[in-house]
Each structure stands twice: as structure tokens, then as C-alpha cells.
Amino acid sequence: MPQRKVVTGRSQEPRVRFTEELRLLRTERGLSLRKLAEEVGWDASQFGKMESGRTLGSPEVVQALDQYYGTPGLLVTLWELAVADPAQFKERYRQYMILESEAVSLWHYGVSRPPGLLQTDAYAREALAAGGIKGNELEQQVEARTGRRELLEGGEAPSFRSILSEAVLRTPLPNRGEWREQLEHLLEMSERPSITLQVLPFSVSFHGLASTDLMFLRLLDTRTVAYAENDVHGELIAEPSKVERFQRTYDAVRDSALSPVESRKFILRMLEEVPCGPST
């Protein structure tokens, strides 16, 4: 079979292809970053970061560029592919990311942090930075993590249950305003019909998931796989007997957790304890 010819010679990696297209469209029109900013109404530094791959930008700015360049949907499509590309995650997460995007329902338990799907930008940045990620990689990982929130948007969003240990709500961000935003975000998300949020109080004492973050993914083919993670290791579990054992443990934790209504009240009480003034 003859080798397939490269039609455009441009990158097949979604993030790189997006930045290439941004630079090409601008340079073909002989525009500087400053001139583009004047024409479109956004900051020149934002376009510079997008063209260098340091950030993907927001959907609003990408839509504005599509409109300006007369490329309806092109840049938005490339942006969506770049945001959703599992290659931007660490190798061990890639298969999980693909399965997560295909799941029809998800069940989660969190030991010390809310799941990435429920994290604000500020929380995701703080959590990733605490793991030693810096600079451009940090910004890329923040975008990759928060971009996953689109999974919970729209009428076809999968059902999602998250059980949070009380420790999650007792471990605030350094910035009080950002912590309030995270708590308010949890409350807002819990109001969605497809999302069930529960709190497991300290009074439950020891249980089978005391040191393990866990996510179950029910797939279109009716299979259920699990992803278990602790501070040093993450494992994708597909063997039915192991998944079933984890499910029994999860069911016991769910039965011990506060009801969704009581969980909302709990988060509201936590929110009332956070001062409204700026952090010192």
C-alpha cells in the first residue's frame, strides 16, 4: 500500500495544530499581535500566549477570532479538539480520560480534594502547583483539567455522584475568596439534576475507602471500570471481581454519607465560616 501523503504538512497533534492555525491566519493578513488586539478587542498578550501554546484561551476569544478571520467554526473546532485531547495528560491517565469521556454515568469518592470535574480554575491551579508543576506546564494542566468540566454540561451529560470526605471541606485554599468560590461552585453544581453530591462526615470513623480516591465509570457497553488513586499511584481496574468488590465498599460509604439535602446544608455551614474579606 502506498504511503499516505501529508496534505497540509501541519501537525496532527491537536494543541500544536491549533497554535499553528492561529499564527498562520494572523501572519497571512500581515497583522502584528498588537494590531490584532486592536481589531478584535482582546489583549495582545493573550494572543501571544495562545500562539506560543502557553494557553488555549477561552471559547469566547476563539469565537471572536473565528468571526474576525471569517472562518466560522474552524478555530472553535480545533480548540475543542485541543481541550479534549487526552495526550496532554500524564501517560497513566490517558486511557482513563478516554473512558471518562465515553461514560454514561460516574460515581466518585474523594479523600481530601473535590474531583477535577468539580474544581474551579483557582482550585485546580493550587492543587497542581502543590504537586510541583510550574510555569507553562502548570497553565496547560490547569486548562486540561478544567476543560474536562464540559463533560457535565448539556442535556446529554452523564449522571454523576460525588461523595466527599469532610476533610475535603476542612482543607481550604490559602486565598479565602478563592475558597468561597470553590464552595459556592460545589453548591451550584449540586443543584443540577444530573449531579448528586454527598458529604461523608468525620463521625463515620474508619471505612474501606479512608485513603483511596475512587471513580467508577459505567460505559455504553454496560461494563463498569474503576480508577483508584492514592498519593503515589493510580490504577485503572477492569477485572469484574475487583470492580465488584470496590463497588460494595463504595455502597457502604454512600449509605453512611449525609443525604444530598443534608450535604448541601453542611456545605452552606462551611461557607458561612469563611470570612468575606480579602485574605491576609
Side-chain angles (χ1 to χ4, degrees), residues 196-209:
T196 302
L197 186 62
Q198 292 180 262
V199 174
L200 186 73
F202 286 147
S203 59
V204 171
S205 188
F206 195 79
H207 56 85
L209 297 178

Side-chain angles (χ1 to χ4, degrees), residues 45-97:
S45 64
Q46 170 82 351
F47 293 133
K49 291 177 182 178
M50 291 170 67
E51 290 189 12
S52 66
R54 285 180 289 171
T55 180
L56 290 174
S58 67
E60 292 78 15
V61 70
V62 178
Q63 288 171 347
L65 288 170
D66 253 339
Q67 183 175 0
Y68 175 73
Y69 287 129
T71 53
L74 171 64
L75 293 177
V76 168
T77 298
L78 293 175
W79 178 85
E80 289 175 341
L81 292 171
V83 168
D85 180 23
Q88 62 195 305
F89 295 93
K90 299 295 184 181
E91 183 65 34
R92 64 177 179 170
Y93 295 119
R94 291 182 183 178
Q95 187 179 2
Y96 168 77
M97 291 295 106

Side-chain angles (χ1 to χ4, degrees), residues 8-9 14-15 26 56 74 76 79 84 86 125-126 145 171 195 231 261 273:
T8 65
R15 192 180 188 105
R26 180 177 60 81
L56 290 174
L74 171 64
V76 168
W79 178 85
R125 181 172 288 102
E126 193 73 32
R145 177 172 293 187
T171 310
I195 297 177
D231 288 340
V261 172
E273 295 176 10

